[in-house]
């Protein structure tokens, strides 16, 4: 009974992590589409950013849910990693990780930690200054400031390089995580292959799209 309860608990954690990961993918897609408009038109980017930054639903409902989702997803990742390590207390001398699993699947905790550090930097760069600008300093609304603030973040080549590297790791993380999510929630039907292909393309296009945005602003500042 104890083993059965432990198994159910582990499955529940994996399902919860999978669902939170899929939720964060929706946020990532939305964030990508908004940022991509900065490459096309500064005015369009400013207009969308101003709406997102002043809309009460976004600011006080969606944004807190996102923050909780990010924290929950990564805490569960660490918990499951520790749980998996305890379940295999003895290392196999003949085990060849590279021959049995991809780098991404063997190092999800590493790529996840780097991504978590990047997200913390992202909140430090954008979210906290935004909160200070509006709710601490009480500055007047400026609908034209967003494009300039974004572009300024990519002037420094070191920051731009680290930003790009974090999205390469995110691509690897997403590629394995999306496939694992479907296994965790038990999806296996006629749509599974198509959804896995979608996950593969998503894990390539969206992260590389963010890299393109960063490089575009770096070389056009």
């Amino acid at each position: 009974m104890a083993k059965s309860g432990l198994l159910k608990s582990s499955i529940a954690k994996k399902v919860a992590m999978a669902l939170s990961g899929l939720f964060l993918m929706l946020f990532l897609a939305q964030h990508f589409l908004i940022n991509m408009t900065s490459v096309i038109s500064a005015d369009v980017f400013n207009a969308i950013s101003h709406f997102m930054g002043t809309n009460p639903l976004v600011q006080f409902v969606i944004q807190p849910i996102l923050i909780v989702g990010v924290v929950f997803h990564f805490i569960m990742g660490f918990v499951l990693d520790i749980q998996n390590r305890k379940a295999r207390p003895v290392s196999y001398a003949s085990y060849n990780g590279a021959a049995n699993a991809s780098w991404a699947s063997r190092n999800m905790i590493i790529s996840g930690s780097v991504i978590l550090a990047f997200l913390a930097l992202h909140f430090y760069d954008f979210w906290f200054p935004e909160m200070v600008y509006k709710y601490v300093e009480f500055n007047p609304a400026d609908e034209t400031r967003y494009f300039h603030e974004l572009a300024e973040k990519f002037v420094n080549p070191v920051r731009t390089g680290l930003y790009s590297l974090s999205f390469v790791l995110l691509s690897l993380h997403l590629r394995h995580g999306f496939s694992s999510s479907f296994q965790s929630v038990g999806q296996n039907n006629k749509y599974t292959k198509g959804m896995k292909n979608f996950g593969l393309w998503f894990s390539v296009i969206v992260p590389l799209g963010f890299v393109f945005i960063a490089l575009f602003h770096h070389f056009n500042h």
Side-chain angles (χ1 to χ4, degrees):
M1 290 295 291
K3 288 185 178 180
S4 176
L6 182 62
L7 178 62
K8 289 181 180 179
S9 174
S10 177
I11 293 174
K13 289 176 183 175
K14 288 180 179 179
V15 170
M17 186 176 178
L19 292 176
S20 66
L22 293 173
F23 165 73
L24 294 178
M25 286 177 67
L26 293 175
F27 159 75
L28 193 65
Q30 174 255 348
H31 197 57
F32 167 67
L33 292 174
I34 293 175
N35 279 16
M36 185 57 76
T37 63
S38 70
V39 172
I40 302 169
S41 169
D43 291 337
V44 172
F45 177 75
N46 281 331
I48 296 175
S49 297
H50 182 69
F51 169 79
M52 298 293 288
T54 56
N55 186 287
L57 178 63
V58 174
Q59 291 291 296
F60 303 113
V61 178
I62 297 177
Q63 201 160 246
I65 291 174
L66 168 65
I67 294 172
V68 171
V70 168
V71 174
F72 176 82
H73 183 74
F74 284 101
I75 287 177
M76 289 303 299
F78 285 110
V79 169
L80 286 171
D81 184 70
I82 293 171
Q83 183 174 298
N84 290 337
R85 291 176 188 275
K86 286 183 177 179
R88 296 192 304 269
V90 180
S91 299
Y92 298 102
S94 61
Y95 177 73
N96 184 350
N100 293 277
S102 67
W103 183 93
S105 64
R106 289 181 287 112
N107 296 280
M108 287 292 279
I109 199 69
I110 296 176
S111 61
S113 297
V114 173
I115 296 163
L116 182 60
F118 162 75
L119 286 172
L121 176 63
H122 183 76
F123 278 112
Y124 174 79
D125 270 347
F126 294 99
W127 189 74
F128 286 112
E130 186 72 11
M131 295 300 101
V132 170
Y133 184 93
K134 290 186 297 188
Y135 304 120
V136 177
E137 298 176 351
F138 297 102
N139 291 306
D142 181 2
E143 299 181 19
T144 64
R145 65 186 173 89
Y146 302 97
F147 178 84
H148 174 73
E149 290 176 355
L150 175 69
E152 282 295 308
K153 299 300 181 184
F154 300 116
V155 172
N156 188 314
V158 175
R159 178 183 288 270
T160 303
L162 291 174
Y163 182 93
S164 300
L165 176 61
S166 71
F167 274 102
V168 172
L169 290 172
L170 175 63
S171 177
L172 297 174
H173 192 87
L174 283 172
R175 182 172 182 175
H176 176 73
F178 191 88
S179 177
S180 297
S181 295
F182 272 86
Q183 293 177 9
S184 296
V185 297
Q187 289 294 326
N188 188 18
N189 52 49
K190 63 180 181 180
Y191 302 109
T192 301
K193 184 178 180 180
M195 290 303 296
K196 285 186 176 180
N197 287 335
F198 167 78
L200 173 62
W201 283 105
F202 185 96
S203 68
V204 173
I205 293 174
V206 172
L208 291 186
F210 276 105
V211 173
F212 168 74
I213 293 167
L215 295 177
F216 175 87
H217 288 297
H218 176 71
F219 290 109
N220 289 277
H221 65 80

